[in-house]
Amino acid sequence: MTVGVLGGGQLGRMLALSGYPLGLSFLCLDPAVDAPAGQVAPLLRGAFTDTRLLRRLARRCEVVTFDWENVSVATLRSAMRGSGARLAPPLPALATGQDRVAEKRLFERLGIPTTRWQAVDSRDDLERALRRVGLPGVLKTRRLGYDGKGQAVVRDAPAAAAAWERLGGVPLLYEEWVPFDCEVSIIGARRRSGEIAVYPLCGNIHSGGVLRLTRAPWGAPRLQRLAAGHLRRMLEHFRYSGVLTIEFFVRGGRLLANELAPRVHNSGHWTIEGAVTSQFENHLRAILDLPLGSTAALGHAAMINFIGHMPARTALLSRPGLHLHDYGKQPRPGRKIGHCCLVETTAARRDARVRRLLAELAVGITLP
Ligand code: AMP
């Protein structure tokens, strides 16, 4: 059975690596010759907007999934038509995940608390949004934003003007700045037959809008129940198949949804070594409507992202129990090129090791 993957990044690569033991084959599509998934699976090279290429992919696969959200929904719909392949996760979830305004509306409709926000399409809209939502806030592009790209923090009127200069011209969204206590994400899988499995909550630290560290399990059981309830509602709403992620800000014990990702997620990489079944394997099980694997944690895990610079392999591998994932990418400033993961028997031991590692590897963040 062949799974088509739109996008041949590290997520596609980890999907393929987790699918081979299940007897699956993979075919990825990516514009880059050196796409990380191309080192482990056959790659069709070309643009995500190339309907003929997408059709070729769909005809050669039983199911098509994606590791990258910014694929044209219209192109995908037309390529899938009559191909005989199924698309999973469903197209409406992809469309929602591409548009921050659609995301906010859906959070509100499903009773999932989110930040105060306003759509901004003109300078007048921005003035209105500043009055209604208040300062400070964040101006974000509605589409094509990820890892903090396409955003500007607005602390006062001159900053609002500068943000408009930089981002204006495309549809935007303005939302309140949340002085959060921490950030968390919840990841879970649903298969067509309705079975759902949810992972322990992840505690995430970002820097410059990019995820740097995830620790899981994280937070009080009450927060886990709350987040899992929100995720289940979202999964049911879409009659979803595959893995879905929701990111939240935590403030005073409350969850405020920030965004959803209809795919496996960077904050779930710890599940490869830290959970009974990884998010990648569960995504494949879910899109193929196979029984889901246990999402239970095997201990207290931490995942550290390597951004722009890969520490020396020997230095990493000489540490007992430290697992290295090198995505085979050329290092560039700001680029995610790998991660490492450790699993300890207690949260205190894990945090002590993480503190030491962060200092020794000079990855640019410290633990509070
Ligand atoms: P996003 O691309 O929306 O996930 O934003 C990336 C990161 O920027 C988030 O994980 C936060 O660390 C930060 N951020 C984004 N929006 C806000 C906000 N409204 N208030 C505070 N921090 C934010």
Side-chain angles (χ1 to χ4, degrees), residues 33-368:
V33 231
D34 60 348
Q39 296 174 356
V40 302
L43 186 72
L44 291 176
R45 208 191 137 226
F48 295 128
T49 46
D50 184 341
T51 314
R52 277 182 38 211
L53 198 64
L54 288 180
R55 229 174 248 144
R56 236 169 81 204
L57 175 88
R59 272 203 300 268
R60 287 170 58 183
C61 302
E62 273 76 18
V63 58
V64 173
T65 189
F66 39 87
D67 92 333
W68 167 250
E69 276 135 276
N70 294 317
V71 183
S72 154
V73 168
T75 311
L76 199 49
R77 186 180 291 119
S78 117
M80 295 300 296
R81 204 171 290 134
S83 69
R86 276 185 309 106
L87 180 76
L91 213 48
L94 178 67
T96 306
Q98 288 178 348
D99 180 358
R100 289 186 190 272
V101 166
E103 246 172 40
K104 295 280 187 207
R105 288 196 180 124
L106 184 60
F107 286 141
E108 290 176 348
R109 210 176 121 200
L110 297 179
I112 302 173
T114 186
T115 54
R116 282 180 294 127
W117 64 279
Q118 289 269 294
V120 171
D121 293 319
S122 65
R123 193 62 214 258
D124 284 350
D125 283 350
L126 180 57
E127 294 304 326
R128 262 192 297 277
L130 291 172
R131 278 198 303 276
R132 286 196 194 147
V133 176
L135 286 165
V138 191
L139 194 62
K140 299 181 175 181
T141 55
R142 267 176 79 162
R143 293 177 174 278
L144 300 172
Y146 67 98
D147 283 351
K149 292 184 176 63
Q151 331 196 340
V153 177
V154 177
R155 300 202 181 276
D156 49 27
W164 176 257
E165 275 305 304
R166 185 153 79 77
L167 302 175
V170 295
L172 301 169
L173 170 143
Y174 180 75
E175 68 176 349
E176 64 179 308
W177 171 260
V178 182
F180 52 75
D181 303 321
C182 65
E183 293 186 85
V184 298
S185 56
I186 191 90
I187 302 173
R190 182 185 185 275
R191 59 191 277 226
R192 252 188 308 162
S193 57
E195 187 191 359
I196 287 178
V198 179
Y199 285 96
L201 198 61
C202 315
N204 303 323
I205 296 182
H206 294 80
S207 161
V210 184
L211 181 68
R212 307 305 298 252
L213 169 72
T214 294
R215 285 173 291 171
W218 181 261
R222 188 190 70 83
L223 219 53
Q224 167 82 35
R225 277 196 303 275
L226 209 57
H230 295 330
L231 184 74
R232 280 173 183 276
R233 234 168 303 142
M234 187 70 80
L235 288 166
E236 296 296 5
H237 167 78
F238 286 117
R239 296 173 162 278
Y240 201 82
S241 52
V243 159
L244 175 74
T245 307
I246 308 182
E247 293 182 85
F248 298 93
F249 302 124
V250 182
R251 172 127 174 94
R254 287 188 66 222
L255 289 174
L256 284 178
N258 175 31
E259 63 178 354
L260 68 88
R263 55 170 170 77
V264 285
H265 196 259
N266 192 171
S267 64
H269 291 358
W270 66 272
T271 60
I272 298 176
E273 290 91 9
V276 175
T277 316
S278 79
Q279 62 163 349
F280 300 99
E281 181 173 333
N282 260 338
H283 181 70
L284 295 169
R285 291 183 186 218
I287 63 176
L288 295 166
D289 202 20
L290 294 168
L292 300 178
S294 163
T295 50
L298 294 170
H300 295 264
M303 187 278 320
I304 300 171
N305 264 347
F306 298 133
I307 316 269
H309 159 77
M310 199 74 190
R313 203 174 302 218
T314 320
L316 291 169
L317 297 181
S318 61
R319 291 160 210 267
L322 194 71
H323 301 273
L324 170 63
H325 296 259
D326 184 328
Y327 306 151
K329 287 161 89 169
Q330 283 301 349
R332 268 206 310 267
R335 193 173 202 209
K336 288 177 185 168
I337 54 173
H339 75 262
C340 67
C341 182
L342 57 87
V343 185
E344 284 291 336
T345 48
T346 67
R349 270 203 200 140
R350 171 196 63 197
D351 290 352
R353 274 199 86 182
V354 168
R355 252 187 210 99
R356 277 201 305 275
L357 262 174
L358 291 176
E360 288 163 17
L361 301 178
V363 288
I365 55 158
T366 49
L367 268 195

